[in-house]
Structure formats: C-alpha cells, structure tokens
Coordinates of all heavy atoms in Angstrom, one line a residue:
F878 N 0.8 -1.2 0.0 CA 0.0 0.0 0.0 C 0.9 1.2 0.0 O 0.6 2.2 -0.7 CB -0.9 0.0 1.2 CG -2.0 1.0 1.1 CD1 -3.2 0.7 0.4 CD2 -1.9 2.3 1.7 CE1 -4.2 1.7 0.3 CE2 -2.9 3.2 1.5 CZ -4.0 2.9 0.8
M879 N 1.9 1.2 0.8 CA 2.9 2.4 0.8 C 3.5 2.6 -0.5 O 3.6 3.7 -1.0 CB 3.9 2.1 1.9 CG 4.9 3.3 2.1 SD 4.0 4.8 2.6 CE 5.1 6.0 1.9
L880 N 3.9 1.5 -1.2 CA 4.5 1.7 -2.5 C 3.5 2.3 -3.5 O 3.9 3.1 -4.4 CB 5.0 0.3 -3.0 CG 6.3 -0.2 -2.3 CD1 6.6 -1.6 -2.8 CD2 7.4 0.7 -2.6
G881 N 2.2 1.9 -3.4 CA 1.2 2.5 -4.2 C 1.1 4.0 -4.0 O 0.9 4.8 -4.9
F882 N 1.2 4.4 -2.7 CA 1.1 5.8 -2.3 C 2.3 6.5 -2.9 O 2.2 7.6 -3.5 CB 1.1 5.9 -0.8 CG 1.2 7.3 -0.3 CD1 0.3 8.3 -0.8 CD2 2.0 7.6 0.7 CE1 0.4 9.6 -0.3 CE2 2.1 8.9 1.2 CZ 1.3 9.9 0.7
V883 N 3.5 5.9 -2.9 CA 4.7 6.6 -3.5 C 4.5 6.8 -4.9 O 4.8 7.9 -5.5 CB 6.0 5.7 -3.2 CG1 7.1 6.2 -4.0 CG2 6.3 5.7 -1.7
G884 N 3.9 5.9 -5.6 CA 3.6 6.0 -7.1 C 2.6 7.2 -7.3 O 2.8 8.0 -8.2
D885 N 1.6 7.3 -6.4 CA 0.6 8.4 -6.5 C 1.3 9.7 -6.2 O 1.0 10.7 -6.9 CB -0.5 8.2 -5.5 CG -1.5 7.2 -5.9 OD1 -1.5 6.8 -7.1 OD2 -2.3 6.7 -5.0
V886 N 2.3 9.8 -5.3 CA 3.0 11.0 -5.0 C 3.8 11.4 -6.2 O 3.9 12.6 -6.6 CB 3.9 10.9 -3.7 CG1 4.8 12.1 -3.6 CG2 3.0 10.8 -2.5
G887 N 4.4 10.4 -6.9 CA 5.2 10.7 -8.1 C 4.3 11.3 -9.2 O 4.6 12.2 -9.9
D888 N 3.1 10.7 -9.4 CA 2.1 11.2 -10.3 C 1.7 12.6 -10.0 O 1.6 13.5 -10.8 CB 0.9 10.3 -10.4 CG 1.1 9.0 -11.0 OD1 2.2 8.8 -11.7 OD2 0.3 8.1 -10.7
L889 N 1.5 12.9 -8.7 CA 1.1 14.2 -8.2 C 2.3 15.2 -8.5 O 2.0 16.3 -8.9 CB 0.8 14.2 -6.7 CG 0.5 15.5 -6.1 CD1 -0.7 16.2 -6.7 CD2 0.3 15.4 -4.5
A890 N 3.5 14.8 -8.3 CA 4.6 15.7 -8.6 C 4.6 16.1 -10.0 O 4.9 17.3 -10.4 CB 6.0 15.0 -8.2
K891 N 4.4 15.2 -10.9 CA 4.3 15.5 -12.4 C 3.2 16.5 -12.7 O 3.4 17.4 -13.5 CB 4.2 14.3 -13.2 CG 5.4 13.3 -13.1 CD 5.1 12.0 -13.8 CE 6.2 11.0 -13.6 NZ 5.9 9.7 -14.0
L892 N 2.1 16.3 -12.0 CA 0.9 17.2 -12.3 C 1.1 18.6 -11.7 O 0.7 19.5 -12.3 CB -0.4 16.5 -11.7 CG -0.8 15.3 -12.5 CD1 -1.9 14.5 -11.6 CD2 -1.3 15.6 -13.8
V893 N 1.8 18.6 -10.6 CA 2.1 20.0 -10.0 C 3.1 20.7 -10.9 O 2.9 21.9 -11.2 CB 2.7 19.8 -8.6 CG1 3.4 21.1 -8.1 CG2 1.6 19.4 -7.6
M894 N 4.1 20.0 -11.4 CA 5.0 20.6 -12.4 C 4.3 21.1 -13.6 O 4.6 22.2 -14.1 CB 6.1 19.6 -12.8 CG 7.1 19.3 -11.6 SD 8.3 18.0 -12.1 CE 9.3 18.9 -13.3
A895 N 3.3 20.3 -14.1 CA 2.5 20.7 -15.3 C 1.7 21.9 -15.0 O 1.6 22.8 -15.8 CB 1.7 19.5 -15.7
E896 N 1.1 21.9 -13.8 CA 0.3 23.1 -13.4 C 1.1 24.4 -13.4 O 0.6 25.4 -13.6 CB -0.3 22.8 -12.0 CG -1.3 23.8 -11.6 CD -2.7 23.7 -12.3 OE1 -3.0 22.8 -13.0 OE2 -3.5 24.7 -12.1
D897 N 2.4 24.2 -13.0 CA 3.3 25.4 -13.0 C 4.0 25.6 -14.3 O 4.9 26.5 -14.4 CB 4.3 25.2 -11.8 CG 3.7 25.3 -10.5 OD1 2.6 25.9 -10.4 OD2 4.3 24.8 -9.5
G898 N 3.7 24.9 -15.3 CA 4.2 25.1 -16.7 C 5.6 24.4 -16.9 O 6.2 24.7 -18.0
A899 N 6.0 23.5 -16.1 CA 7.3 22.9 -16.3 C 7.2 21.6 -17.1 O 8.2 21.0 -17.5 CB 8.0 22.6 -14.9
R900 N 6.0 21.1 -17.3 CA 5.7 19.9 -18.0 C 4.4 20.1 -18.8 O 3.6 20.9 -18.5 CB 5.5 18.7 -17.1 CG 6.7 18.3 -16.3 CD 6.4 17.1 -15.4 NE 6.1 15.9 -16.1 CZ 6.8 14.8 -16.3 NH1 8.0 14.8 -15.7 NH2 6.4 13.8 -17.0
E901 N 4.3 19.2 -19.8 CA 3.0 19.2 -20.5 C 1.9 18.7 -19.6 O 2.1 17.7 -18.9 CB 3.1 18.3 -21.8 CG 1.9 18.4 -22.6 CD 2.1 17.5 -23.9 OE1 3.2 17.0 -24.1 OE2 1.1 17.5 -24.7
N902 N 0.8 19.3 -19.6 CA -0.3 18.9 -18.7 C -1.4 18.2 -19.5 O -2.3 18.8 -20.0 CB -0.9 20.2 -18.0 CG -1.8 19.8 -16.9 OD1 -2.1 18.7 -16.7 ND2 -2.1 20.8 -16.1
L903 N -1.3 16.9 -19.6 CA -2.2 16.1 -20.4 C -3.6 15.9 -19.7 O -4.6 15.9 -20.3 CB -1.6 14.8 -20.8 CG -0.4 14.8 -21.6 CD1 0.2 13.4 -21.8 CD2 -0.6 15.5 -23.0
G904 N -3.5 15.9 -18.4 CA -4.8 15.6 -17.6 C -5.5 16.9 -17.2 O -6.6 16.8 -16.7
G905 N -4.8 18.0 -17.3 CA -5.4 19.2 -16.8 C -5.7 19.3 -15.3 O -5.2 18.5 -14.6
R906 N -6.4 20.3 -14.9 CA -6.7 20.5 -13.5 C -7.5 19.4 -12.9 O -7.2 19.0 -11.7 CB -7.6 21.8 -13.5 CG -8.0 22.2 -12.1 CD -6.8 22.9 -11.4 NE -7.2 23.3 -10.1 CZ -6.4 24.1 -9.4 NH1 -5.3 24.5 -9.8 NH2 -6.8 24.5 -8.2
A907 N -8.3 18.7 -13.6 CA -9.1 17.5 -13.1 C -8.1 16.4 -12.6 O -8.3 15.8 -11.6 CB -10.1 17.0 -14.1
A908 N -7.0 16.2 -13.4 CA -6.1 15.2 -13.0 C -5.3 15.6 -11.7 O -5.1 14.7 -10.9 CB -5.1 15.0 -14.1
L909 N -5.0 16.8 -11.6 CA -4.3 17.3 -10.3 C -5.3 17.1 -9.2 O -4.9 16.6 -8.1 CB -4.0 18.8 -10.5 CG -3.4 19.5 -9.2 CD1 -2.0 18.9 -8.9 CD2 -3.3 21.0 -9.5

C-alpha cells in the first residue's frame, strides 16, 4: 500500500510541475 502511495505522489509531482508550466499537462486541472 505504501508503494502504491509513493507512485501516487510521483504522479502528483508531475501534475504539479505541469500546473506550474514545467511539463506538458495532459490531464489538466481535473487530473491534479
């Protein structure tokens, strides 16, 4: 379960970067 959480945190990090313009944001605000 903890490993799954770590994966989710990694996904969140990518979405935060996208929200700040550092990555392409494929999922948009809804994904964040």
